[in-house]
Amino acid sequence: MAYFYKEASRTFSEYLLVPGYSSKECVASNVSLKTPVTKFKKGEEGSLTMNIPLVSAIMQSVSDDKMAIALAREGGISFIFGSQGVEEQAEMVKRVKSYKAGFVTSDSNIRPDNTLKDIIDLKEKTGHSTVAVTDDGTSYGKLLGMVTSKDYRVSRLPLNTKVSEFMTPINQLTCAKEGTDLGEANDIIWENKLNALPIVDDSGHLKYFVFRKDYDSHKEYPYELLDENKRYIVGAGINTRDYAERVPALVEAGADVLCIDSSEGYTYWQKETLSFIREKYGDSVKVGAGNIVDREGFLFLAEAGADFVKIGIGGGAICITREAKGIGRGQATAVIEVAKARDEYFEKTGIYVPICSDGGIVHDHHITLALAMGADFCMLGRYFARFDESPTKKFMVNGNYMKEYWGEGTQRARNWQRYDLGGKSGLSFEEGVDSYVPYAGRLRDNVMLTLSKVKSTMCNCGALTIPELQEKAKITLVSSVSIVEGGAHDVVLKETDITVK
């Protein structure tokens, strides 16, 4: 007879934190959100930690090199999606690792035969006002000129004006040759009063830009996550099919941490993948595994050599695994059980294996609840998909700006490896949907707001660190009636455009 759980599986929305004593030290500025990413022995520190407990999901519509740079600046890690070619994914990793060195691959490029309208559209898409004019419109084409906001005025130029007519041509630009180090590049920028310095190779092809604004960026981003060479930390997703080819390429590209991207991690194939990595690299390559939702799944992956374990099946905003296959578990219940297993494993072995809550985050306070229940950090997809830095397009839908967001289990993603259980290639049925999410602006603005809420709630609980929150938190189940009571009720809400006289 099947095993029946006595308790219902529950979501984060069914719980609330009960405030504890707040001392005078309990102010947001004193809160540390530093958290381990990879396993470590008792009495030691993990080889990889984050300054904030947030990572972005391993998804085409969420995590590319642009997202990785933006999130690392804030202290978190982005796992670049693996549902692409090995070379393409490795190239994204390389771009992140080279970015902090000050040499930025141009993401705003155009041909000389394009028009002013194309420039405006490109600026709206990327948010960048410096545009490289190359012969083929790519980031590595032969540099012919550059366009900045100083080169045109929309009110005085027809939108069909060719870029070649108003760009600053190459013979009027100050450029540096490939091989110039960052110190020399910055000297050229300051001596020539430049905002951007193009770096070209011997044949005149564009390689990078060095920007004046990046000189002081470390002051603007005090929590940025850097490796020993002052480069941004970046993660990458792998699967259980082509790991023998993909893992070496990602390691060579400089990926700091890998994660097996799968809807179900309690499998022979994940153990086989972890065994390959351990046999080839020992413990030098850091790799997470998952997803699981119970004690047995955690112990299986911890003993197989995972550096962290990811929790969650079917709780994502675009995931329909529970609907399609009838498997999964409420995210809060899963986190609580796995956290207990993690602590028991630590007590028994002296090895602490961090756990990541993946999915089920609808409101900002759900992050705090996940941490209080035992998660070391949270993986979010929908949350990050809404920002400028996600790789998807921005659209106007019914008068509101939206961004595309689709699951890895959709035909659009074609990521059959993520759902593979040893069968033939291909996606037999979908476990995700294709959708829109409301556009929310810059990542930095939103992350700062979210984390200010997390810190404030931690202070309400009398905690200044995540381990202290997990020790002191008091959590209560809530009834359906109290959920209604928790929102605005029994009032007539004012319209925001009403003027009171």
Side-chain angles (χ1 to χ4, degrees):
M1 183 177 177
Y3 177 81
F4 287 87
Y5 287 89
K6 295 179 181 178
E7 299 291 332
S9 68
R10 300 186 182 278
T11 68
F12 293 129
S13 291
E14 295 178 81
Y15 290 93
L16 285 176
L17 286 158
V18 176
Y21 170 70
S22 298
S23 67
K24 66 178 182 180
E25 287 79 21
C26 285
V27 292
S29 59
N30 289 337
V31 173
S32 169
L33 294 176
K34 191 171 182 178
T35 192
V37 178
T38 55
K39 65 184 178 184
F40 57 90
K41 293 181 180 179
K42 191 173 185 178
E44 299 179 357
E45 283 193 10
S47 60
L48 181 58
T49 61
M50 291 188 294
N51 294 323
I52 64 172
L54 303 180
V55 299
S56 66
I58 311 169
M59 301 175 68
Q60 293 176 5
S61 54
V62 178
S63 299
D64 64 355
D65 49 306
K66 187 177 179 182
M67 175 63 71
I69 291 167
L71 188 50
R73 279 177 162 177
E74 302 305 324
I77 296 176
S78 185
F79 285 84
I80 291 177
F81 69 94
S83 50
Q84 59 178 321
V86 174
E87 292 182 4
E88 289 79 4
Q89 188 185 19
E91 190 58 40
M92 284 189 179
V93 171
K94 289 178 183 177
R95 288 202 289 269
V96 178
K97 299 307 288 186
S98 66
Y99 186 95
K100 185 53 191 172
F103 296 92
V104 183
T105 301
S106 176
D107 68 351
S108 296
N109 310 284
I110 208 160
R111 299 191 312 273
D113 59 343
N114 286 124
T115 64
L116 175 59
K117 183 181 184 305
D118 296 322
I119 288 283
I120 294 169
D121 291 344
L122 185 60
K123 183 178 178 180
E124 182 178 352
K125 177 183 176 183
T126 65
H128 297 156
S129 58
T130 299
V131 179
V133 184
T134 59
D135 59 347
D136 59 2
T138 69
S139 55
Y140 297 110
K142 188 168 185 179
L143 185 64
L144 303 178
M146 196 163 74
V147 173
T148 69
S149 56
K150 296 178 181 179
D151 291 310
Y152 62 88
R153 288 183 65 179
V154 176
S155 60
R156 295 192 176 185
L157 277 179
L159 291 178
N160 62 356
T161 304
K162 299 290 186 183
V163 169
S164 58
E165 296 180 31
F166 59 88
M167 71 180 188
T168 301
I170 184 68
N171 59 8
Q172 295 179 25
L173 292 176
T174 299
C175 298
K177 285 293 181 70
E178 186 178 15
T180 301
D181 65 34
L182 187 58
E184 293 169 338
N186 281 321
D187 287 342
I188 294 171
I189 286 174
W190 289 100
E191 289 168 4
N192 294 275
K193 300 180 179 180
L194 305 175
N195 289 322
L197 175 68
I199 308 294
V200 297
D201 62 17
D202 291 335
S203 59
H205 286 80
L206 179 64
K207 301 299 292 184
Y208 308 103
F209 273 112
V210 177
F211 293 98
R212 173 190 288 261
K213 63 181 176 62
D214 288 339
Y215 185 78
D216 293 320
S217 67
H218 66 284
K219 297 178 182 178
E220 187 180 354
Y221 300 97
Y223 298 113
E224 61 184 357
L225 201 59
L226 308 173
D227 65 17
E228 65 276 6
N229 296 313
K230 305 298 182 184
R231 303 175 301 175
Y232 284 132
I233 298 289
V234 60
I238 61 173
N239 62 66
T240 58
R241 277 281 181 163
D242 64 6
Y243 54 84
E245 177 187 1
R246 190 174 295 270
V247 171
L250 294 173
V251 171
E252 184 179 350
D256 298 280
V257 58
L258 307 176
C259 184
I260 303 174
D261 182 29
S262 174
S263 65
E264 213 281 283
Y266 192 4
T267 69
Y268 164 84
W269 294 277
Q270 291 229 355
K271 184 177 180 180
E272 187 180 57
T273 304
L274 290 168
S275 295
F276 166 83
I277 294 172
R278 293 293 168 246
E279 289 171 8
K280 185 174 179 64
Y281 298 101
D283 290 328
S284 63
V285 170
K286 306 303 177 184
V287 55
N291 286 18
I292 51 87
V293 291
D294 60 9
R295 179 179 185 274
E296 289 78 8
F298 169 82
L299 293 175
F300 174 80
L301 292 176
E303 291 168 359
D307 282 291
F308 68 88
V309 173
K310 204 144 62 76
I311 309 163
I313 295 177
I318 43 68
C319 183
I320 56 171
T321 295
R322 298 179 194 175
E323 184 179 319
K325 296 170 67 174
I327 66 166
R329 201 176 194 188
Q331 188 68 5
T333 299
V335 170
I336 292 168
E337 180 174 319
V338 174
K340 183 179 179 181
R342 185 265 322 275
D343 293 342
E344 291 173 350
Y345 185 80
F346 179 51
E347 191 68 28
K348 178 182 176 181
T349 66
I351 299 174
Y352 186 93
V353 181
I355 55 175
C356 168
S357 177
D358 176 18
I361 302 293
V362 180
H363 305 292
D364 288 345
H365 75 269
H366 289 170
I367 295 171
T368 319
L369 276 166
L371 298 174
M373 290 173 178
D376 294 283
F377 54 98
C378 297
M379 177 173 279
L380 301 98
R382 180 195 61 85
Y383 178 85
F384 287 111
R386 303 173 301 146
F387 304 150
D388 286 320
E389 293 82 0
S390 74
T392 61
K393 296 178 181 178
K394 185 172 68 175
F395 290 94
M396 182 76 76
V397 180
N398 297 327
N400 297 305
Y401 278 115
M402 310 288 281
K403 293 206 76 175
E404 291 182 295
Y405 181 44
W406 62 91
E408 291 298 293
T410 60
Q411 293 291 350
R412 179 175 186 175
R414 293 187 175 89
N415 189 10
W416 63 268
Q417 296 97 331
R418 186 179 198 273
Y419 300 86
D420 178 49
L421 290 176
K424 63 180 182 179
S425 302
L427 199 62
S428 301
F429 56 89
E430 293 188 304
E431 293 186 40
V433 298
D434 200 339
S435 62
Y436 294 107
V437 289
Y439 168 67
R442 288 202 314 164
L443 177 145
R444 185 169 200 222
D445 297 335
N446 287 275
V447 166
M448 289 177 68
L449 176 61
T450 294
L451 295 182
S452 69
K453 295 178 185 178
V454 173
K455 290 180 177 180
S456 179
T457 305
M458 287 173 64
C459 288
N460 293 144
C461 296
L464 296 178
T465 66
I466 292 172
E468 192 176 6
L469 173 67
Q470 292 166 352
E471 179 185 344
K472 292 183 175 181
K474 295 182 291 184
I475 303 173
T476 181
L477 272 169
V478 293
S479 68
S480 59
V481 179
S482 63
I483 292 174
V484 174
E485 180 186 61
H489 61 91
D490 301 316
V491 295
V492 178
L493 296 178
K494 293 181 180 180
E495 297 291 338
T496 56
D497 58 350
I498 291 178
T499 302
V500 179
K501 297 182 179 179

